[in-house]
Amino acid sequence: HEQGKKLILLTGDQRQATNELIKDLPFEMVYTEKSAAQKAETIEMLNGQGRKVLYVGDGLNDLEAANKSHVSIAIQGWTHLASASSICLKGQIQDLKACFKYANLIQTNILQNLTWTFLYNGISLLFAAGFFYPWIGFAINPVVFSATMALS
């Protein structure tokens, strides 16, 4: 929730069984006592609202809803077999915080790598094209540029 994500609890459990979880996490909405089909319908409704849905499940009854979500996370480790975009966690629902943290770190690293690659290759391309030659009298051989671009 602190990362701009809205938490929605969608469970087949009774309300009393979820009170501890509701107390610890800031849910925007809570849906309890839902069947597998009702969970899938709720995911479709959220998709229809333009939301990107990450579904966390722990059993076979979660497969239909997981397949309708953008990304699914299987807590027990075998639910992911039926979902194309899935992550498998062997632990507790509390592991999600670490999962989001690592996802953000990976995304930051990818963006940094892309930025440096485009800058490096863009500047090298200008040298290989002879753009700076009139001012500094230096250009990179296009063959050398191709090799350095392939290595980057």
Side-chain angles (χ1 to χ4, degrees):
H1 193 267
E2 69 250 6
Q3 298 173 355
K5 293 160 183 58
K6 296 180 180 176
L7 297 177
I8 297 172
L9 179 62
L10 178 59
T11 182
D13 295 336
Q14 294 180 356
R15 181 69 177 215
Q16 296 85 353
T18 61
N19 283 339
E20 190 68 27
L21 188 60
I22 292 170
K23 186 173 53 176
D24 292 340
L25 296 170
F27 289 102
E28 178 185 342
M29 291 181 272
V30 176
Y31 301 97
T32 57
E33 302 178 34
K34 298 293 181 185
S35 69
Q38 290 172 321
K39 291 177 188 178
E41 289 171 7
T42 305
I43 299 295
E44 284 182 337
M45 176 196 64
L46 294 169
N47 286 335
Q49 294 173 357
R51 294 186 183 205
K52 301 289 183 197
V53 178
L54 179 140
Y55 185 80
V56 180
D58 65 352
L60 270 175
N61 65 328
D62 294 313
L63 292 179
E64 186 179 359
N67 284 329
K68 293 190 182 296
S69 66
H70 293 89
V71 177
S72 62
I73 296 179
I75 295 292
Q76 294 299 327
W78 48 265
T79 311
H80 70 287
L81 295 175
S83 180
S85 303
S86 64
I87 300 166
C88 184
L89 295 178
K90 291 185 179 180
Q92 303 291 326
I93 197 164
Q94 290 79 5
D95 293 339
L96 285 176
K97 190 172 184 176
C99 184
F100 288 129
K101 176 185 171 190
Y102 292 129
N104 287 334
L105 289 172
I106 290 167
Q107 183 178 13
T108 300
N109 186 268
I110 289 170
L111 290 174
Q112 288 171 345
N113 287 342
L114 283 173
T115 301
W116 286 112
T117 299
F118 282 121
L119 283 173
Y120 169 78
N121 287 323
I123 292 169
S124 297
L125 178 63
L126 293 173
F127 274 103
F131 181 79
F132 298 115
Y133 189 80
W135 296 284
I136 61 173
F138 177 75
I140 298 174
N141 183 324
V143 174
V144 173
F145 166 70
S146 297
T148 60
M149 189 172 183
L151 292 174
S152 74

